[in-house]
Amino acid sequence: MAKQRATDTRVRSLKAKDSRYDVWFEGGLGIRVGTSGKRTWQTMIRQEIDAKVRQRRIFLGTYPKIGVAKANSLCASAREAVHKGENPAAVADGGAPRAPKHITDKFTVGILIDDYLRLYARPNKRSADQDEAFLDREIRPRWGKRLATDISRRDVIEVLDEIVTRGSPVSANRVLAVTRKMFNWAVGRDRLPSSPCVAIERPVKETERDRSLTPDEIKSFWNGLEDATIDTMLSFALKLLLVTGQRRTEVIGATWDEFDFKTRWWEIPAARTKAKRAHRVPLSDLALHLINDIWTEAGKPDSKYLFVNKKTGKPYSPYSVSQGMRKSLNVMKLSDSPATPHDLRRTFSTRLGELGISQTIKGKLLNHSPVGVTSRVYDKFEYTTEKTTAMNAWGDRLREIVSDTPLASNVVSLQSAG
């Protein structure tokens, strides 16, 4: 059945019911009738967001403040804005898109962040901790007390420009991604009328990195950390990244109960791995001595985490590891060709290949997702012996490279703790 044309008579005849309802007219124009009888013009558009075509609800103002003719004009303008790659909500209500009053009264960005993390990121995203770190560091301090509906595209662009200016363009990309996802989530849940991130491009174009450290660079990295001005615990975390080859989030989030020092295994639970698959990492002599030093530095810690900031008493975030690496590049003699924490994982993989370790065993140590039905479904063999042999070989090779830093004589404290 064809939709009717919106007229004053039809709109005035719409009465309040026990729950709000929508009425749609021709041309994509609709009106939402609240339980109080308030009538709010709206339209639904299809727009590409995060490489997916999604439905968006755009509120166009209230009736009778916005009459039928004006509402039709705003509806058409919003749809035209989509074709031009512009923000369709910018035309709403004379350029100031409105959400229902119950949304705007108390819905601050701080509340939005908390709801996004609790209701969406933590149940659905492996990168929830990283999302929280970016939002708490870059967004909450700036906008936390502001109404979510008041954030504009200019606000977003200014934040990104600040991050790029201080020398972290890739971080600016990550902040845009999580901020856009958060606002899109709120729009999808009908918590906001529109997102301020529409049509904002990533600040920088990224290319896939292939950086790995040479033996001389590994030595400079390792020994340079002895003179670095960063917290000792961050130095230990960076070393453990190279020794074990595990991901930054897995290392910095490690807890003491994940380690069995008698059997020499680190068991990372599925909830903390990118693949959502439990991962067993064999511990070489070098890894055991390094963890023993962490235990000693912490002074037989009360915290369940290995890497805790002594000043705050809280665990370090993954971002702290990256920041520590950046601050130490000069003393590591790596400033001419900067390296990142993930480059340490790539170095681990590259050097295992040089030791003759097969792709299969490297993949097992790195906890990469297996390729092919046979590998995924039928190959349940753990390769325990092969993984242990490979990790011990890497530990011995790494000790050769960084021989200026001798191992401690024993690991008594760890054995008694285990």
Side-chain angles (χ1 to χ4, degrees):
M1 182 178 177
K3 292 185 176 66
Q4 294 181 321
R5 182 169 56 88
T7 65
D8 283 307
T9 300
R10 290 192 177 109
V11 174
R12 284 197 302 268
S13 69
L14 300 173
K15 306 299 182 183
K17 298 181 181 180
D18 291 340
S19 60
R20 71 184 185 188
Y21 64 96
D22 298 330
V23 176
W24 295 98
F25 304 105
E26 64 181 24
L29 179 64
I31 197 162
R32 170 165 290 183
V33 183
T35 55
S36 66
K38 180 179 179 180
R39 303 170 182 86
T40 305
W41 294 110
Q42 61 181 334
T43 187
M44 294 290 289
I45 61 155
R46 291 174 61 83
Q47 185 175 23
E48 184 174 320
I49 300 174
D50 294 341
K52 295 182 180 180
V53 177
R54 304 175 188 271
Q55 289 271 22
R56 292 187 61 202
R57 185 187 305 273
I58 306 296
F59 291 102
L60 303 170
T62 58
Y63 179 87
K65 178 181 178 181
I66 300 294
V68 172
K70 180 64 173 178
N72 275 297
S73 175
L74 290 173
C75 178
S77 297
R79 290 171 174 273
E80 179 65 23
V82 174
H83 295 295
K84 294 180 179 179
E86 299 173 352
N87 182 2
V91 305
D93 205 4
R98 307 288 186 191
K101 190 175 186 298
H102 74 276
I103 293 179
T104 61
D105 280 348
K106 297 181 180 179
F107 193 45
T108 64
V109 174
I111 293 174
L112 171 57
I113 291 172
D114 292 339
D115 287 354
Y116 165 78
L117 293 172
R118 177 173 58 87
L119 299 174
Y120 178 77
R122 297 214 172 280
N124 298 292
K125 296 187 69 178
R126 293 190 297 262
S127 61
D129 287 342
Q130 186 175 16
D131 284 8
E132 183 174 15
F134 279 127
L135 292 170
D136 282 349
R137 187 175 68 252
E138 307 293 353
I139 302 303
R140 196 187 295 272
R142 293 176 171 91
W143 305 342
K145 296 181 180 180
R146 294 178 58 183
L147 295 178
T149 50
D150 288 348
I151 304 304
S152 66
R153 292 179 70 229
R154 172 50 50 190
D155 290 322
V156 177
I157 292 169
E158 287 178 355
V159 169
L160 300 177
D161 287 348
E162 286 180 25
I163 298 172
V164 171
T165 300
R166 73 173 186 236
S168 302
V170 175
S171 289
N173 284 358
R174 302 294 180 270
V175 170
L176 174 60
V178 67
T179 304
R180 175 185 285 133
K181 184 65 181 178
M182 179 178 70
F183 276 100
N184 286 345
W185 172 82
V187 172
R189 292 289 295 265
D190 202 18
R191 306 287 298 277
L192 291 174
S194 62
S195 167
C197 300
V198 173
I200 298 180
E201 297 183 356
R202 293 189 304 172
V204 294
K205 183 178 180 180
E206 297 182 41
T207 56
E208 185 175 348
R209 291 178 62 87
D210 59 1
R211 178 86 163 92
S212 65
L213 276 61
T214 66
D216 285 343
E217 288 177 326
I218 291 172
K219 186 173 183 178
S220 294
F221 159 80
W222 191 277
N223 296 332
L225 284 172
E226 300 299 318
D227 299 320
T229 58
I230 61 174
D231 186 275
T232 303
M233 284 301 184
L234 290 178
S235 295
F236 283 142
L238 287 166
K239 288 183 176 180
L240 195 60
L241 282 169
L242 182 59
V243 172
T244 65
Q246 302 312 299
R247 293 182 174 87
R248 179 186 59 165
T249 54
E250 295 162 355
V251 168
I252 201 65
T255 59
W256 289 108
D257 61 5
E258 294 174 359
F259 294 86
D260 188 328
F261 299 111
K262 290 185 172 64
T263 61
R264 302 166 66 105
W265 285 97
W266 173 17
E267 304 209 17
I268 309 175
R272 289 210 316 106
T273 67
K274 182 178 180 180
K276 293 300 179 185
R277 181 176 55 245
H279 183 37
R280 299 182 75 230
V281 182
L283 298 172
S284 64
D285 287 342
L286 183 57
L288 284 171
H289 281 81
L290 181 58
I291 297 169
N292 183 78
D293 289 343
I294 296 169
W295 177 272
T296 302
E297 175 69 20
K300 295 185 178 180
D302 294 329
S303 173
K304 69 176 184 177
Y305 295 97
L306 271 69
F307 302 105
V308 176
N309 186 327
K310 291 183 178 179
K311 294 180 180 178
T312 65
K314 297 180 179 179
Y316 276 108
S317 70
Y319 173 75
S320 299
V321 181
S322 300
Q323 190 177 46
M325 184 90 173
R326 284 197 298 271
K327 289 181 177 179
S328 305
L329 288 174
N330 283 333
V331 73
M332 294 174 185
K333 301 178 183 177
L334 297 176
S335 56
D336 290 340
S337 182
T340 69
H342 193 73
D343 293 336
L344 301 177
R345 179 171 162 87
R346 190 179 297 107
T347 299
F348 170 87
S349 178
T350 300
R351 300 304 156 198
L352 283 181
E354 291 180 351
L355 292 171
I357 306 302
S358 70
Q359 286 293 116
T360 298
I361 303 306
K362 283 200 297 181
K364 293 291 183 180
L365 288 171
L366 293 167
N367 201 21
H368 282 164
S369 296
V371 178
V373 174
T374 300
S375 297
R376 291 197 312 271
V377 179
Y378 297 106
D379 186 1
K380 301 300 183 182
F381 184 58
E382 291 294 328
Y383 297 93
T384 298
T385 301
E386 293 84 352
K387 286 166 60 177
T388 300
T389 299
M391 193 65 85
N392 286 337
W394 167 238
D396 291 342
R397 174 59 180 141
L398 183 53
R399 183 167 52 180
E400 285 180 7
I401 295 173
V402 298
S403 57
D404 290 346
T405 305
L407 291 176
S409 58
N410 57 63
V411 288
V412 174
S413 60
L414 276 181
Q415 291 172 347
S416 61

